[in-house]
Amino acid sequence: MRHDVVAIVLAGGAARRLGRLAAAGKAAVECGGRTLLDRVCTALAAEVPRVVVVAARDTALPRLETAAEVIHDSVPGAGPLPAIRDGLTHALATVPPPRLAVLCACDMPLLAPGVVGRLLDLAVPGVRWILPVVGGHPQPLLSVISVDVLTEVSTACARGGGSLRDLAAAIGRTTPRAVRIVDAAELRAVDPLLDSFRDVDTPEDRAAVERIDDSRRRRC
């Protein structure tokens, strides 16, 4: 396990499409007998020594089986950029500070630790963002960044925000080799069906994950 890494889990989403399932927030939605947040944090803790959860204000998070540092976003409802800024700022206040950060949404219950490890293996000098592309779409909410990306994140927040994909694209335009694109073929070696990138936004998504869980149990 690398010791210069922190995981930042974004757990402040409103999850309106999940309806009553998310009455206590998306992080607390149960899937396969465990909460989404607990499943994600457990997978990350297998590869990363430190997990920071950025939660919405006034939201009680579910109990976690693994240790995690919980902070609350400074700008409620403003999206992932301010939450990432808050998470990085918190993580960098420690000594020694981390060098890399794994960014992850809290709604990826099938996250495979091997995917996290593979992305970290690609973090070589000069690369500032290791960005998977699955189904033709960049996946910044399961990616690895150099912590110095905080500079660009803070600048984007000061300008009113924007998307993570736009930020990654801007960094890539400034220094083309700074963004390492990871295609599906590279990831299938550790996650053949790319289930790590399945998020849970609707009741149908949750049901699909539970079917996959059932199928895996039957094979074991």
Side-chain angles (χ1 to χ4, degrees):
M1 180 182 292
R2 301 179 60 145
H3 295 284
D4 58 350
V5 184
V6 64
I8 297 176
V9 183
L10 306 184
R16 294 181 180 87
R17 287 189 286 168
L18 280 163
R20 288 179 295 176
L21 288 173
K26 180 179 273 193
V29 171
E30 289 205 0
C31 189
R34 297 170 63 195
T35 65
L36 294 176
L37 181 61
D38 186 45
R39 291 180 63 152
V40 167
C41 288
T42 297
L44 289 166
E47 293 287 339
V48 178
R50 185 180 177 199
V51 177
V52 175
V53 177
V54 185
R57 289 187 195 177
D58 304 319
T59 297
L61 292 179
R63 185 176 66 87
L64 300 175
E65 296 295 331
T66 55
E69 302 164 39
V70 178
I71 66 171
H72 293 90
D73 51 22
S74 60
V75 187
L81 278 171
I84 292 168
R85 178 195 59 197
D86 294 342
L88 286 172
T89 300
H90 172 83
L92 287 167
T94 61
V95 178
R99 187 175 69 86
L100 300 170
V102 180
L103 306 181
C104 192
C106 74
D107 62 349
M108 294 175 153
L110 297 174
L111 174 61
V115 167
V116 177
R118 176 59 181 154
L119 296 178
L120 289 170
D121 287 343
L122 298 172
V124 298
V127 174
R128 303 181 67 211
W129 204 318
I130 299 94
L131 182 63
V133 174
V134 175
H137 300 289
Q139 304 291 326
L141 289 183
L142 180 44
S143 66
V144 172
I145 61 171
S146 170
V147 295
D148 64 13
V149 171
L150 176 59
T151 300
E152 285 88 348
V153 170
S154 298
T155 298
C157 290
R159 291 174 176 170
S163 76
L164 282 172
R165 292 178 180 179
D166 288 345
L167 181 60
I171 291 172
R173 285 193 299 270
T174 302
T175 311
R177 294 183 181 179
V179 178
R180 169 62 156 90
I181 298 298
V182 188
D183 63 25
E186 292 183 84
L187 295 165
R188 289 188 189 278
V190 288
D191 187 358
L193 299 179
L194 303 177
D195 287 331
S196 294
F197 296 89
R198 284 182 175 268
D199 54 7
V200 175
D201 287 327
T202 66
E204 293 76 19
D205 293 337
R206 176 176 174 264
V209 168
E210 293 191 323
R211 287 194 296 271
I212 293 170
D213 283 340
D214 288 341
S215 176
R216 290 179 176 179
R217 282 192 290 268
R218 287 194 296 270
R219 291 198 300 270
C220 289

